[in-house]
Amino acid sequence: MRFGILGPLDVRAPDGTPLDPGGPRPRALLTLLLLGAGRTVPAERLIDGLYGDEPPAGAANALQSQVSRLRKRLSLDIEATPAGYRLAVGPDDVDVHRFERLAADGGRALTAGDPSRAAALLGEALGLWRGPALADLPAAFGGRLDEIRLTAAQTRIEAELALGSGGGLVPELRELIAAHPLSERLYGQLMRALHADGRPAEALAVYEEVRRVLADELGADPSAELSALHVELLRGEPARGRGVPAQLTRFVGRTDELSRIDALLAGARLVTLTGPGGAGKTRLAAEAARDRADVCWAELAPLTGAEQVPYALLAALGVREGFRGPQGDPVERLIDALEGREVLLVLDNCEHLVDEAARTAGVLLGACPGLRILATSREALGITGETLCPVPPLAAGPAARLFMDRAAAVRPDADLHARVEAVHGICEALDGLPLAIELAAARLRTLTVDELADRLGDRFRLLSRGDRTKAPRHRTLRAVVEWSWELLDEEERDLARRMAVFAGGSSGGATLAAVEAVCGVPYPEDLLASLTEKSFLEAAGGRYRMLQTIRAFCAEHLADEDELTRLRDAHAAYFRGVAAQAEPYLRGGGQLPRLAALGAERDNLSAALRHLVRADPRAALRLMADLSWFWRLRGLHGAHVPLARELLAALGDEPPEDLAEEYVLCVINTVSGDGTDPREPERLARAEAVLASRDHALRRPFVVVLWSVAYGPQYAVKERVRRQVGEAPWGLALLDVGLGFQEWFTGRPDTSERHFERALAGFRATGDRWGMANCLDPLGMFADWRGDRERALTLLDEGLAHVAALEAPEETADLLHRRAYVLLHQGQLRDAADHFTRSAAMARTAAVPDKVASARRGLGDVARIGGDTEHARVHYEAALELCAANWFSVGETVRTLIGLGRIALAASRPDEARDWFEQGVALCDGPTRALELADAAEALACVTQDPREAAVLLGAGTGLRGLALVGDPDVAPVVARVRAALTAESYEKAFEEGRAMRSAAVSRR
């Protein structure tokens, strides 16, 4: 059984079925026993927790009865001891104990210099929380856990900062500071996050904020540590490179090469490090990039096809897809993301995809003048303007220092300084290749220096004079790996061969459970430890990874094609299970740890899917369906479009039996968003027919969301959708979201708001952050419309906290945009402009051009209201250029045209203004355009000379929207002017006439 007490008590049977412990008192009793899982809890503590300071007479007997009833109700093993009662469950079966273990492990990982593992562990720990801890006990019981939670959150943020995160942490830190306003550590982390995000002025302002808070509340000054950080920021210390792989070992030698790279990058825009495999090109590139201000690292080694290169670069730049999937050509999206930035882009391991890497690099360098590229490859990219920087083997001195440095890690008692001559001989035999030296140094765990030298001599006497036409990697590095291979025993070789089936790269490798399941080796811990010690594996964060070179070598030693097929089948079966197990949790309170878990296995999941598309299309269809919601939440859909199309071709025009939903999801995954596929409408129509035949609750209700996004507004909330979402809480909440949007778009805000409030309650019950954020956004808007700006900001800030946890750029852009308009309505023009700028940046990251357009239009509104009409025009025109020809952009186009009209009106050109406004009206040609038509009607009122007609148009705007906007800076002056020109009775009569008009009648005026 599994137990959760980090929130309301949650008890689950082994198959995941929820169990009811009973009323408040049994729930409190079980919570107290779970706090001491596996240990005796004194009876006095249980009585105190159940009854407080005034227990009833016979409390001990009452406790005994409560324990007996709880034992029978849930079939629990509760043992009575002389001191109290003991619940026989393991600590890992209770979320609070898993949380404390993971939090402690995460803290130790950060102390040990492994921020990546620390962030993963602490993220998993914090993801276990579902609400206030020990919710079934008095509040005093949860105090200690709240402190541990805060410390874990701060430590996780520290790890994220060490990994180069910045802006994405700001909303979370603001929320934490609001709850803990005297925490100097949080203020310091906020300053560092803002600085890392390129917002130094805001970082310095935070220091002034904390200084005032401490003075007012405590009469104290900031600590010396915080003051020192302030001084560093004042000096303009550069942010460290983001995305550069963290290194666990000391960098030895290569000082001349580092200086040369710096000099080359100062004068050239493409520098390629060339040299044989194992020469240390990747490590040298990491050291050269580490302290640069804006660095993005793209690892190409795990890629298997040329089409994946642009997507790898998008990921390195932090560009995610929006929730609607890919928006246009990936190279064009790269150009958009790099626009106006001074960036060093590192392309690591280009050799196996050199043509596509060269093509993409050439396009980017030609379009982005602020871009520099540092590439590593065994051959030049061959682009005009490329500067080569060969990476030679290490010279004798640095090679020996590297050997002794790495040897000291495995044999700290060895005095190698007395054996310098032997060390030099070993390094010379290994051709000074850093990887070969590191592999050899690892052998000193079990060999002496002399034994090592003897073995190298025997092995390389022949191999060093091999075929000179072979690549250097195969003349030298292969020999080292082969020699290491022969030092393994048969069991180790067998496991190493089988582990080659796991994907390489940062999200490759395998957990212990995966190794056991896929490789068919029971209890592989000792073998894995041995392979790690012998440098065949790297162990970090509970995962075992092979270097690409070693993985390729091991793959060559698989017995035959049948063995490879069996391994790939087992690998695919295991990761199908991983995806299937995670998928239901992506729509609830467990979504963060499940998203992290799937993200850690991303390359393995893709490899499993590729294999199944060719080997078992039905199984591939199920796996793709299980991954579809994950891809959308994480912005990974575009990279899988070609595979989805290949799978659809293999399946044919009809869905397999019992897999209709999965088939529709496959069709959705074929949509690229660039409008270049002529067969896309045909596929969508075919899938619409399939989905229309599903007149019952769907097993995967998120199909409704993705289909609405792919198919457009014609897929409105219909009766069949009511049946398709089913009766589960998540589906019912989703239905309310759809109804809320439908009511909103047709001008019924009161009804819409009720639907969104009900949906929010439903999503809160499930714990789904995505759902909550998508309800809080419109609810914040309605509060703003009614003039309740403080409530609007509160709702939107909660939404921002949820999307920050999800790392969802598109939803973040939406909420920042909505918050910007609240600030604009409050007259805070500078803050509104900052929000619009950040919204545009997030929308570019999500590759959603219509939302970039929306932010640019917002900046135009800020500039116009502030009196700067020239800058306003620039923003509006840029917004129009960005609006794509799809149904998402029509509303944005209408409002941008209205903005241009208001500029003309401010310049006393009413005829031009009317022309702009009427262009907007012409686009409002359907029942879903009532909101845009409302804005256009109110704009037309500005240029209408007849006061009564103006009042009719103002009433039409209110009627179409469903309410009047309180404090709108554009509409309020018009209302005042028209009211002054009419009697109160005439105004009200004309206004009501307009309010009663339908859209078509308004359009004709």
Side-chain angles (χ1 to χ4, degrees):
M1 297 175 69
R2 306 288 282 183
F3 303 90
I5 56 178
L6 294 177
L9 177 63
D10 183 46
V11 183
R12 300 277 170 168
D15 64 356
T17 303
L19 302 176
D20 181 14
R25 196 151 284 162
R27 296 173 70 85
L29 173 59
L30 181 54
T31 301
L32 289 165
L33 291 169
L34 289 168
L35 276 172
R39 304 190 307 272
T40 296
V41 182
E44 293 79 6
R45 178 173 174 79
L46 296 173
I47 291 170
D48 182 56
L50 291 173
Y51 303 107
D53 295 331
E54 297 181 4
N61 290 333
L63 173 63
Q64 185 178 14
S65 298
Q66 291 278 3
V67 169
S68 179
R69 285 196 291 273
L70 186 62
R71 186 187 287 129
K72 292 176 181 177
R73 186 181 184 104
L74 297 180
S75 300
L76 294 173
D77 184 3
I78 305 176
E79 177 187 357
T81 72
Y85 294 89
R86 173 182 172 274
L87 175 60
V89 298
D92 264 359
D93 293 329
V94 187
D95 60 0
V96 67
H97 302 299
R98 292 203 308 280
F99 163 73
E100 291 187 275
R101 175 177 60 77
L102 289 165
D105 289 347
R108 284 191 289 270
L110 185 61
T111 302
D114 190 351
S116 179
R117 181 167 185 263
L121 289 168
L122 290 160
E124 183 180 352
L126 293 164
L128 295 171
W129 286 70
R130 296 169 290 107
L134 314 183
D136 295 280
L137 295 177
F141 280 81
R144 184 185 70 86
L145 287 171
D146 289 337
E147 291 177 7
I148 298 174
R149 183 185 190 182
L150 175 60
T151 300
Q154 291 172 322
T155 307
R156 198 210 90 242
I157 290 169
E158 199 70 39
E160 297 280 3
L161 287 168
L163 292 170
S165 295
L169 297 171
V170 172
E172 178 184 3
L173 282 164
R174 286 289 188 193
E175 184 181 18
L176 287 169
I177 286 171
H180 308 279
L182 299 180
S183 170
E184 287 191 68
R185 184 181 183 189
L186 289 173
Y187 282 106
Q189 289 177 331
L190 177 58
M191 291 166 67
R192 289 161 59 198
L194 288 166
H195 182 68
D197 197 43
R199 296 149 66 184
E202 290 181 58
L204 295 173
V206 170
Y207 180 81
E208 295 304 318
E209 177 187 341
V210 66
R211 188 179 61 78
R212 287 193 302 271
V213 169
L214 292 175
D216 292 342
E217 298 294 328
L218 303 177
D221 292 324
S223 65
E225 181 180 354
L226 199 61
S227 298
L229 175 60
H230 181 233
V231 171
E232 286 181 22
L233 299 184
L234 282 171
R235 290 173 178 168
E237 295 284 340
R240 292 177 66 83
R242 286 171 285 178
V244 179
Q247 304 297 326
L248 302 181
T249 55
R250 192 164 61 95
F251 185 63
V252 177
R254 301 291 196 199
T255 54
D256 291 343
E257 287 89 341
L258 281 174
S259 298
R260 182 158 187 246
I261 292 169
D262 285 341
L264 291 173
L265 285 172
R269 296 183 55 219
L270 171 59
V271 176
T272 303
L273 308 185
T274 60
K281 301 183 294 296
T282 295
R283 182 63 186 271
L284 183 56
E287 297 301 323
R290 185 161 311 285
D291 290 318
R292 291 180 175 265
D294 197 351
V295 179
C296 293
W297 185 283
E299 180 186 355
L300 306 188
L303 308 186
T304 57
E307 73 279 359
Q308 296 174 300
V309 171
Y311 290 102
L313 272 58
L314 286 168
L317 288 162
V319 177
R320 299 261 196 100
E321 290 165 10
F323 190 76
R324 299 196 300 270
Q327 301 290 313
D329 180 74
V331 177
E332 291 298 323
R333 290 160 56 202
L334 282 169
I335 293 170
D336 289 342
L338 290 166
E339 180 184 5
R341 290 176 62 182
E342 299 283 337
V343 182
L344 175 65
L345 177 61
V346 182
L347 305 181
D348 188 36
N349 291 308
C350 299
E351 51 269 0
H352 64 308
L353 298 169
V354 68
D355 290 339
E356 181 60 23
R359 187 190 72 81
T360 305
V363 172
L364 295 179
L365 289 167
C368 307
L371 174 67
R372 277 176 163 72
I373 294 178
L374 178 62
T376 74
S377 178
R378 279 180 283 163
E379 63 179 296
L381 300 189
I383 300 174
T384 301
E386 179 183 29
T387 299
L388 299 182
C389 181
V391 180
L394 287 171
R401 288 199 301 275
L402 176 64
F403 182 92
M404 288 191 284
D405 184 289
R406 302 302 190 257
V410 296
R411 286 286 297 275
D413 58 332
D415 182 13
L416 296 181
H417 293 285
R419 307 300 313 280
V420 170
E421 186 175 345
V423 168
H424 278 294
I426 292 170
C427 294
E428 183 179 357
L430 295 174
D431 294 325
L433 289 169
L435 178 57
I437 291 169
E438 294 192 358
L439 285 168
R443 300 292 170 251
L444 289 186
R445 186 185 299 274
T446 55
L447 300 175
T448 68
V449 173
D450 290 336
E451 288 171 337
L452 180 61
D454 288 342
R455 287 175 180 266
L456 285 173
D458 290 339
R459 177 57 57 188
F460 287 106
R461 184 173 293 115
L462 175 62
L463 294 177
S464 64
R465 292 179 173 83
D467 186 349
R468 292 184 180 274
T469 65
K470 296 289 187 182
R473 172 174 171 176
H474 292 101
R475 280 190 275 128
T476 56
L477 185 59
R478 173 179 287 280
V480 175
V481 179
E482 203 162 66
W483 162 75
S484 300
W485 174 264
E486 293 195 2
L487 290 178
L488 303 180
D489 63 33
E490 195 53 44
E491 283 187 310
E492 291 168 343
R493 290 182 194 172
D494 187 44
L495 180 56
R497 278 198 306 269
R498 297 181 187 189
M499 285 198 66
V501 75
F502 292 103
S506 57
S507 59
T511 62
L512 177 63
V515 173
E516 188 168 7
V518 174
C519 298
V521 178
Y523 309 110
E525 295 92 331
D526 290 343
L527 287 174
L528 289 169
S530 180
L531 288 170
T532 301
E533 290 172 358
K534 295 176 180 179
S535 298
F536 256 77
L537 294 176
E538 293 178 330
R543 301 184 69 81
Y544 298 90
R545 295 185 180 89
M546 280 183 167
L547 294 172
Q548 291 288 357
T549 301
I550 294 176
R551 178 171 169 267
F553 179 92
C554 292
E556 292 176 2
H557 284 70
L558 286 168
D560 51 40
E561 190 65 28
D562 289 342
E563 183 182 13
L564 178 59
T565 300
R566 285 195 301 273
L567 282 170
R568 284 177 174 168
D569 288 343
H571 177 273
Y574 176 80
F575 286 104
R576 272 185 59 199
V578 169
Q581 185 180 32
E583 188 275 325
Y585 293 93
L586 297 180
R587 302 185 297 281
Q591 64 190 172
L592 291 185
R594 298 292 176 158
L595 284 169
L598 291 176
E601 301 291 5
R602 193 176 74 199
D603 287 342
N604 276 313
L605 290 164
S606 295
L609 183 58
R610 282 194 301 273
H611 172 66
L612 290 173
V613 166
R614 283 94 179 181
D616 187 349
R618 285 179 60 92
L621 194 60
R622 290 191 180 94
L623 176 55
M624 181 172 285
D626 286 331
L627 293 175
S628 292
W629 192 243
F630 163 66
W631 288 343
R632 294 295 176 147
L633 290 177
R634 279 291 191 239
L636 301 171
H637 162 74
H640 299 90
V641 168
L643 202 56
R645 290 176 178 173
E646 183 181 344
L647 176 56
L648 198 64
L651 293 166
D653 293 343
E654 296 297 326
E657 187 178 354
D658 300 326
L659 294 176
E661 293 176 37
E662 291 78 359
Y663 184 85
V664 171
L665 284 167
C666 184
V667 171
I668 293 171
N669 287 321
T670 67
V671 177
S672 66
D674 57 13
T676 59
D677 185 355
R679 296 199 60 196
E680 193 169 285
E682 175 194 338
R683 287 199 301 268
L684 288 171
R686 194 165 65 240
E688 160 65 7
V690 172
L691 192 57
S693 68
R694 304 293 97 185
D695 202 30
H696 53 74
L698 301 178
R699 288 172 285 108
R700 307 171 192 272
F702 64 85
V703 173
V704 172
V705 183
L706 299 186
W707 187 248
S708 298
V709 170
Y711 203 60
Q714 56 266 52
Y715 192 71
V717 176
K718 304 173 183 175
E719 285 305 313
R720 87 164 192 242
V721 177
R722 295 173 187 272
R723 292 186 286 274
Q724 286 174 343
V725 298
E727 297 298 322
W730 193 90
L732 292 173
L734 179 64
L735 178 62
D736 269 315
V737 169
L739 292 168
F741 278 113
Q742 187 179 55
E743 296 294 298
W744 171 17
F745 291 155
T746 50
R748 293 187 286 271
D750 291 340
T751 309
S752 174
E753 192 169 22
R754 287 194 292 273
H755 280 297
F756 281 118
E757 286 173 344
R758 193 161 60 198
L760 178 61
F763 284 128
R764 283 198 198 284
T766 67
D768 186 342
R769 291 168 175 81
W770 175 85
M772 287 187 276
N774 277 276
C775 295
L776 290 161
D777 185 351
L779 288 172
M781 179 198 66
F782 290 135
D784 182 36
W785 283 5
R786 294 189 172 92
D788 190 349
R789 307 270 142 71
E790 291 305 315
R791 171 171 165 74
L793 292 175
T794 298
L795 292 168
L796 296 173
D797 286 346
E798 182 188 345
L800 282 166
H802 290 316
V803 296
L806 287 172
E807 302 174 22
E810 182 176 355
E811 284 81 0
T812 302
D814 287 338
L815 287 157
L816 286 171
H817 183 271
R818 190 78 67 198
R819 199 177 195 278
Y821 270 107
V822 178
L823 296 171
L824 181 62
H825 295 156
Q826 288 181 323
Q828 301 179 44
L829 300 188
R830 265 181 89 178
D831 289 342
D834 175 69
H835 276 58
F836 282 128
T837 301
R838 290 162 56 196
S839 175
M842 296 303 293
R844 286 193 192 95
T845 295
V848 192
D850 55 293
K851 295 193 176 183
V852 180
S854 183
R856 291 299 297 267
R857 190 252 305 172
L859 287 168
D861 287 346
V862 171
R864 176 177 55 78
I865 291 170
D868 187 352
T869 55
E870 285 309 308
H871 277 94
R873 182 183 300 280
V874 170
H875 287 303
Y876 288 144
E877 289 175 351
L880 284 179
E881 289 178 9
L882 286 164
C883 283
N886 59 40
W887 67 271
F888 296 98
S889 299
V890 174
E892 203 48 57
T893 302
V894 171
R895 293 187 174 96
T896 305
L897 293 171
I898 291 172
L900 287 166
R902 293 192 186 281
I903 289 178
L905 191 61
S908 301
R909 298 193 299 272
D911 291 341
E912 180 188 338
R914 178 179 290 278
D915 181 62
W916 286 114
F917 298 154
E918 288 177 348
Q919 287 184 53
V921 170
L923 293 175
C924 301
D925 57 353
T928 61
R929 298 297 171 197
L931 299 178
E932 292 87 349
L933 188 56
D935 291 348
E938 290 168 343
L940 282 168
C942 300
V943 293
T944 300
Q945 298 302 311
D946 180 356
R948 187 183 184 285
E949 178 67 11
V952 170
L953 289 168
L954 290 170
T958 297
L960 290 168
R961 189 183 297 108
L963 54 79
L965 300 181
V966 176
D968 186 296
D970 289 316
V971 178
V974 184
V975 173
R977 173 176 62 79
V978 176
R979 278 186 176 277
L982 297 171
T983 66
E985 182 180 356
S986 297
Y987 178 85
E988 293 300 332
K989 184 177 179 180
F991 188 88
E992 288 304 318
E993 178 185 333
R995 198 206 295 256
M997 293 172 64
R998 295 184 179 274
S999 298
V1002 176
S1003 298
R1004 289 194 297 269
R1005 295 183 80 91

